[in-house]
Structures are given as C-alpha cells and as structure tokens.
Amino acid sequence: VYKLTSVLVKSALSVHQNIASAFRKTAANFHYEFNLRHISNIFQGLLVSRKEEFIGDPEKFVRLWLHETERVYGDRLVTLDDRFKYKQLVGNSVKKMLSQFNLGRFFMKSGKSDLLLFCHFAEGIGEKIYDEVPFIDRAKKTLEDALKDYNDTNPVMDLVLFEDAIKHVCRITRILLNVAGHALLVGVGGSGKQSLSRLAALICGFNVC
C-alpha cells in the first residue's frame, strides 16, 4: 500500500481537475463547485480505515479510494447524464494511472458494474469498522437487525430495504461519523429521507430529537 502513495495522490489530483473542468456551477446546479476541500474529504475517508484491513491487498485500498471519490464527487451530481459522465472521467483516469489493477468491472457501460461499497457496519453495528461490503445481502441483514432494534423502542418504521436504500444508509452513516460531516438530503416527499436518517443515527449511536 505504501508504494501506492504517489500514484494515488496524482490520480486524486487528476480526477479533481477533470471533474472541476467538466462540471461547472450553473443556476440549476449551484452546488457544482469543487475545490481543495473535496480532495481533503477523500483522504479523510481513507484515514478512517484501519491498516490491518489492507495487508497483502493493495487493490482493496485503491477500491476504497474509488469509493471515497464517488462519495465526494459522484453523490453531488443530480442527473443520470452527469453521473454517466463522471463514471467515464474516473474510469479513463483509472485505466491510465492504475492499469495494474482490475478496476474496469466498476465502470461497466451495461449498468452491471460490480458493487463498490464501504461502510462503518461491514462487520456489525457494534464494531464501527470502516470496511468493504462484498455482498449487498450482508449489509441488508445488518440493517434489518438494526431496524428491528429501532422498532422495538420507537414508533414503528415500515421500511423496505432495497439496494438503493441500503446504499443511502451507508452514505448517511459515513457522513455522520466523519469529522464535521454534514449533508443535505434532496428528494420528493415520502421518499424515505427521514426514516433512513433515523436508522443511520441509530447505527451511529445518536439520538434524533
């Protein structure tokens, strides 16, 4: 992993420059403004992980970098076209600068890309270890248990934990547990923003007033 330091820094700078050039702030997308703070957020995410999780597996650390890059940049994009363009930009950078790793499976054009997901409950709610989730079913089982715990002591939330909902909880949990983490959840009424936030808060050990 140590040998990857230089190339990951160069890759992060390259991706940032490409994204800052490709996605300009407009009246409709006034939050499309990317600066050095976003690069800092990526490396903050890397530092949350434990070195023991990457011994003998440098590609896993690169996958974590890809994941953090998507959380910092990709999650801010509001249209499918912008997200597709983001995938192309990052995919091209990865192919050029990290060609020794098999990362193309995360950028499949068919929409059947492999799962790329890290969260703080990969090994259970009580562990708070930021690690990779190899299968979505594992995260689903953990969240179903957490939802049951929530419903035992609070007004019942009747949540359907489909794949996108699981990924949203992972995103919210990541933000809540980051230093100075903050987010604005955007969606139509009744889409589950409040319920998923309550579930994420339970996992983090926080109370929601």
Side-chain angles (χ1 to χ4, degrees):
V1 172
Y2 174 77
K3 295 178 181 178
L4 291 173
T5 304
S6 177
V7 69
L8 277 184
V9 170
K10 290 178 181 178
S11 298
L13 291 172
S14 174
V15 167
H16 175 81
Q17 290 169 355
N18 290 336
I19 289 175
S21 298
F23 301 106
R24 298 288 189 176
K25 182 168 64 173
T26 65
N29 300 320
F30 57 87
H31 62 291
Y32 279 20
E33 186 173 8
F34 303 103
N35 51 49
L36 292 178
R37 177 168 53 86
H38 296 93
I39 296 180
S40 173
N41 288 343
I42 291 173
F43 286 94
Q44 180 185 39
L46 297 180
L47 293 173
V48 170
S49 63
R50 303 190 312 171
K51 63 180 181 180
E52 293 85 359
E53 307 298 330
F54 306 99
I55 295 175
D57 191 0
E59 184 182 307
K60 183 178 179 182
F61 195 71
V62 176
R63 294 198 299 271
L64 174 60
W65 170 74
L66 276 179
H67 175 267
E68 295 305 301
T69 300
E70 186 167 353
R71 296 288 73 78
V72 170
Y73 298 117
D75 287 352
R76 284 176 166 79
L77 306 179
V78 296
T79 68
L80 291 176
D81 286 343
D82 284 351
R83 292 175 188 172
F84 179 74
K85 187 176 181 180
Y86 162 83
K87 287 281 189 181
Q88 284 185 314
L89 289 174
V90 178
N92 290 337
S93 293
V94 165
K95 188 184 298 184
K96 178 181 178 181
M97 307 188 75
L98 294 161
S99 58
Q100 68 269 40
F101 299 110
N102 179 25
L103 302 171
R105 64 188 191 277
F106 300 115
F107 302 97
M108 302 294 289
K109 294 181 180 179
S110 62
K112 296 182 179 179
S113 299
D114 283 5
L115 179 69
L116 181 62
L117 186 64
F118 285 75
C119 72
H120 287 84
F121 51 87
E123 299 182 21
I125 294 176
E127 298 299 327
K128 298 291 189 300
I129 295 174
Y130 198 53
D131 199 7
E132 188 172 28
V133 178
F135 307 105
I136 199 71
D137 288 344
R138 179 183 294 184
K140 182 177 182 180
K141 177 65 168 62
T142 300
L143 290 182
E144 285 174 344
D145 292 342
L147 180 60
K148 184 177 183 301
D149 291 343
Y150 180 92
N151 288 339
D152 286 343
T153 55
N154 296 278
V156 173
M157 290 194 302
D158 187 18
L159 279 178
V160 178
L161 293 169
F162 52 92
E163 184 170 334
D164 280 347
I166 293 169
K167 290 179 178 179
H168 286 321
V169 174
C170 292
R171 292 181 178 108
I172 298 169
T173 303
R174 172 186 171 275
I175 292 168
L176 290 177
L177 291 176
N178 271 355
V179 177
H182 60 279
L184 174 65
L185 306 184
V186 179
V188 298
S191 60
K193 300 184 296 296
Q194 185 176 116
S195 298
L196 295 180
S197 297
R198 290 182 182 277
L199 184 57
L202 174 76
I203 293 170
C204 296
F206 299 152
N207 294 319
V208 179
C209 299

